[in-house]
Amino acid sequence: MSVKSIRKGLHQLVGGDPNDAAICNFCGAHRSEVPRILEGSAGYICEGCVFAAAGDLAARDAREGRGAATTFHVVALALDYVDARTPHAGLEPVFDAALALVEGDPSRCRLLASRAFRLHHFARAAEALLRIDEPVRTVTDALGALAALVVVGDRPTIARVLAALDPIALSDLHRLQRDVHRGWAAYRLEASAGPTFTFDGASLGPIVERLRALDAPASLGQALEVAAAYERTRDRGAALQRIEEALGVEDKPSRRLLRGDILADVDPAAARASWEAALALAHPDSVWAARARARIAGARPRS
């Protein structure tokens, strides 16, 4: 892939009003002074600075005898500045190009996965992490792939990753994280065809308390969410308490969606508000957005 084709792709992905106040954080150029300017979570970078950085990377890679790394880093840099709600269809050629350039390099795979997670493209995140050869794939890589695969619903690949983890002597935290992902897969994919996942929902209470003691907030939030899902049909009050605590850890569309499901039979207005909040948080192309739209469409009209 040439710099010219990458530039063309950036033009297609990134637009903007030339009259707004966007200024490149690196060179100070105004949007009206440059062909394109990319917006990220921390500010802006103009197209010229993107390719200046690419030139520096190219020089370094040439010194180190590497080729594809240069183009990969340009693509990864572009993904870093793409708006997080960009439609996935427009990103597919960029991910295809990046995946063709990872060459099994674990650091490139992890970098690409981090960009895919930021863009809520869980299928691509899992694909990037699973491009790492199994002998050098870390437990963290496998757990990251599991988190993405459960969202995607890829039951056979989930089974393969879990089977690869089972014989490994895991740390306490990693073991708990694996069990939470297994529980989430067993709950979410119960009705789908393929391998089954044995999981005792009653074990989630001890898992939650152990994660609380380990001071692992992200994992605790996930465990609370899974526990709420299992408890919603048995103890609505306990499930609501769990999901409220999970939302206190991190406000996520999946948690807003579940909160609405828990409330649907007792407080339809609050349930609808929770589903609308999930839709506002979710990427438009995500499974959470699709589910939120379906819940809202089927909900009782506002009074």
Side-chain angles (χ1 to χ4, degrees), residues 227-244 258-267 271:
Y230 273 88
E231 290 172 351
R232 58 178 286 213
T233 57
R234 298 190 298 270
D235 187 339
R236 192 192 311 274
L240 188 58
Q241 185 176 357
R242 296 279 199 200
I243 201 64
E244 295 289 6
L258 180 55
R259 181 178 181 275
D261 292 348
I262 294 168
L263 290 170
D265 292 335
V266 294
D267 192 342

Side-chain angles (χ1 to χ4, degrees), residues 75-268:
V75 176
L77 185 60
L79 286 171
D80 202 30
Y81 283 89
V82 170
D83 185 271
R85 296 179 72 83
T86 298
H88 288 165
L91 296 173
E92 297 299 352
V94 184
F95 278 111
D96 285 341
L99 284 163
L101 295 163
V102 296
E103 297 182 325
D105 185 311
S107 63
R108 291 186 215 170
C109 293
R110 292 173 188 132
L111 180 63
L112 186 59
S114 72
R115 301 306 188 265
F117 274 119
R118 186 184 75 82
L119 295 165
H120 296 192
H121 203 327
F122 299 105
R124 292 298 197 167
E127 186 178 3
L129 289 170
L130 294 176
R131 288 289 185 95
I132 301 172
D133 290 338
E134 198 163 316
V136 294
R137 190 185 304 156
T138 67
V139 171
T140 301
D141 296 331
L143 290 170
L146 267 181
L149 288 166
V150 173
V151 176
V152 175
D154 186 344
R155 186 187 282 269
T157 309
I158 292 170
R160 287 197 298 272
V161 175
L162 283 171
L165 283 171
D166 283 341
I168 299 174
L170 301 176
S171 69
D172 195 18
L173 177 59
H174 285 158
R175 178 178 55 78
L176 293 167
Q177 290 172 329
R178 178 203 61 193
D179 290 347
V180 169
H181 291 316
R182 189 193 300 274
W184 200 212
Y187 179 85
R188 284 204 59 229
L189 307 178
E190 181 180 13
S192 61
T196 57
F197 308 108
T198 303
F199 187 78
D200 180 6
S203 67
L204 283 163
I207 288 174
V208 165
E209 295 312 312
R210 186 65 187 132
L211 287 168
R212 204 188 302 279
L214 288 173
D215 192 23
S219 297
L220 173 62
Q222 185 65 49
L224 286 163
E225 182 177 351
V226 179
Y230 273 88
E231 290 172 351
R232 58 178 286 213
T233 57
R234 298 190 298 270
D235 187 339
R236 192 192 311 274
L240 188 58
Q241 185 176 357
R242 296 279 199 200
I243 201 64
E244 295 289 6
E245 186 179 353
L247 282 164
V249 173
E250 185 180 355
D251 196 355
K252 299 176 72 172
S254 59
R255 295 173 190 174
R256 290 285 178 179
L257 191 70
L258 180 55
R259 181 178 181 275
D261 292 348
I262 294 168
L263 290 170
D265 292 335
V266 294
D267 192 342

